[in-house]
Amino acid sequence: MTQHATATPSWADQFHRFEHNGAEISPAWLRDVRKSAFGNFERLGFPTARKGNEPWKYTNVRPIAEAAFTLAEHAPDAGIDLHAYELPCPRVHQLVFVDGHYEPGLSTEPVSEAGLHSDVLGRHGDGPVVGRLADAIEYRVPLVREQLGRLAPAEGNAFTALNTAFLRDGAFVQIPDGTFVPEPIYLLFISTGAQAVVTHPRVLIAAGADSSATVLQSFHSLDGGAYLTNALTEVVTSPGANLRLCTLQIESGDAFHIATTRMEQARDSRVSSVVVDLGGQLVRRETATLLGASGADVNLCGLYYGAGERHVDNQTFVDHAAPGASSNEVYKGILDDSSHGVFSGGVLVRPDSQQTVAHQVNKNLLLSSDAEVDTQPKLEIYADDVTCTHGAAVGQLDADALFYLKSRGIGEDVARNLLVHGFVSEVLDAIEDGAVRQHVEQAVAECLSGSR
Amino acid sequence: MLEVRDLHAEVNGVEILKGVDLSVGVDETHAIMGPNGSGKSTLAYVLAGRPGYEVTAGSVTFDGDDLLALPAEERARRGLFLSFQHPVEIPGVRMDHFLRAGYNELRKNAGEEQLDPLKFDRLIRSKAKAVEMEPAMTKRAVNEGFSGGEKKRNEVLQMAVLEPRLRILDEIDSGLDVDALREVARGITDLSVPGTSTILVTHYDRVLSYLEPDHVHVLIDGRIARSGGRALAKEIEERGYDWLEAGAGV
Ligand SMILES: Nc1ncnc2c1ncn2[C@@H]1O[C@H](COP(=O)(O)OP(=O)(O)O)[C@@H](O)[C@H]1O
Ligand SMILES: [Mg+2]
């Protein structure tokens, strides 16, 4: 990342205020982590599309750099009706954050100190720990201190640095070894949009050996607004873990959404990540996994929808750092009006990573002649015994298919809608949990019904 | 039911239909035969309303209304059905979802109540059985990965569900072996309730021994070169199209 002029003073002011405004009760190690992270942010500045800064070539975050965002001092007083966000299943483990603040009244998981205690954690057969990061920090859960920031170090990325600088709370999910969690774990982040608020949602997920769970992270806007969400999720897996991670983003059309997900996969672990971007004015999402041991398998799927002037940028990175690991990526974009989609799929196959299987597909549907997309695979392959494929496509709705549908009596709008849904179904079908899939499908349907 | 008068049509600026006349009455079956490239599919597409097929002269009425003024979906809603020579594969769109959408459009048009997914599921299952198609296939994406024969059978299934009054079957027998053709032909015959008319578009006589036409027309270079009865098709089977092409001045 290239240097930028020093960060706007308002971030520094806010950081100092934050440090002395409740955050000072944090343990010393965390205060040090934050301080150093903010130092990194000041050193790095926001990224620019300057020459040589390839990852930011298409995405200009100057509107974020130039705007003034503030932390919400407290959650809004008015109650929030969660009805619209409910998952269609009887039981969920649910954590709700509003403007960055934990909402105990809306959450289902009051985790006790005992529940978080290290000697209880990780015992075979226990249910999952789904709780506040703040609690896990306060109760000195060793894993938290070990893992926070390990996969997403603040040194190289301004947004990661900012998130860590303002780290006080968030979601902590731990699936004990051998535990199968039948019901979805639901992490809901709502921005009220009352003012230009910045939130730094932080999530740490640790999937134990041979565990199995579904986590849905969902980002919503209550009432519009040009706010900033700067989310960071770290996922660590133990051998044999099976984690399904789904991310739904329906921010306000004026909002900025920056999201970074860093994962590390152990031997024979399996991660399925499905990201669905439906909102925001400027969206930048980085999803990266380190396949660190043989048998690790990742399925990265994404759907991004552009309308109006939305800019939505997805960057994936799969690091094949061990032999015999596999990755599969399917990202699909629907771009309408004068929206702009970006996809960059990085795959690194290190020299000793023989028997790697890596597939990548990015397909884009342009619904308007003013819509644009930039797509590029970035494959670096240093092993010779590998199976790697990639493909990218940009096109319009298939005229023959459209006529076929109409010839059965289906009108223009419904026909187009069927085709658009057909285009995205491959991504949505990758969501294995039925309730989560239904919920996301519904959101996609509502979002697309406005488009033609 | 259908009156085609001096129909001229262009594709990409090239005139393909050069004055077609055709009159199809209720309960009639007409065969349109002709060599490859003579314009049979073009005629079928023009009747079904495919974009890109520009009518430059002539008229077509359906039940007395100007068919050419109607968009494709409206023609279908009024009971016209084209069985495609090459049915289109539509990845990601499930057969039953697609067909329910079409079915409900037709019901809406007829002022009837829409069928919910459950009721439609019962309907499509029974129709699939009737045309000897595995009901599980209706859960698959439209025509995706279907064999040539399965695609044709699927066209018949759609016909069974939509119950059109005018059926234009473009090379319905292509890709079908003898047994499959017999089954498909039986399906089509079973669907021929009173009030139904059929236009069989075919290069070969083969299908006509299963679906007996009342009238046979030979299309040569965009014009009907000759019309006759079943005997005309037999003659073509023996002599080919050359003698007619000569007569058409090609
Ligand atoms: N989309 C098209 N663009 C250009 N020419 C076409 C197109 N479709 C058909 N044609 C031409 O029109 C003529 C008639 O084609 P078609 O109607 O398919 O014939 P048939 O069905 O009798 O074999 C052929 O010469 C064919 O090449
Ligand atoms: Mg043809």
Side-chain angles (χ1 to χ4, degrees), chain B residues 95-106:
Chain B
M95 260 304 294
D96 53 350
H97 293 174
F98 144 69
L99 203 45
R100 187 165 70 88
Y103 181 77
N104 277 335
E105 289 285 357
L106 267 56

Side-chain angles (χ1 to χ4, degrees), chain B residues 35-42 44-45 85-86 170-171 201-203:
Chain B
N36 276 329
S38 59
K40 302 185 298 296
S41 292
T42 301
Y45 284 142
Q85 179 173 2
H86 303 290
D170 193 355
E171 310 284 1
V201 173
T202 180
H203 179 82

Side-chain angles (χ1 to χ4, degrees), chain A residues 130-166:
Chain A
V130 181
R132 300 175 60 174
L133 256 182
D135 287 343
I137 292 164
E138 188 185 338
Y139 303 141
R140 298 192 173 77
V141 175
L143 189 128
V144 170
R145 187 171 171 184
E146 284 159 23
Q147 297 295 344
L148 262 188
R150 187 176 69 79
L151 293 175
E155 280 85 32
N157 183 308
F159 289 105
T160 299
L162 258 192
N163 181 291
T164 302
F166 290 96

Side-chain angles (χ1 to χ4, degrees), chain A residues 400 404-406 408-409, chain B residues 50 73 77 82 98 155 158:
Chain A
D400 290 342
Y404 192 71
L405 297 182
K406 288 184 185 177
R408 302 316 187 222
Chain B
R50 182 173 183 166
E73 60 270 30
R77 290 170 193 165
L82 170 63
F98 144 69
E155 297 291 285
Q158 294 172 46

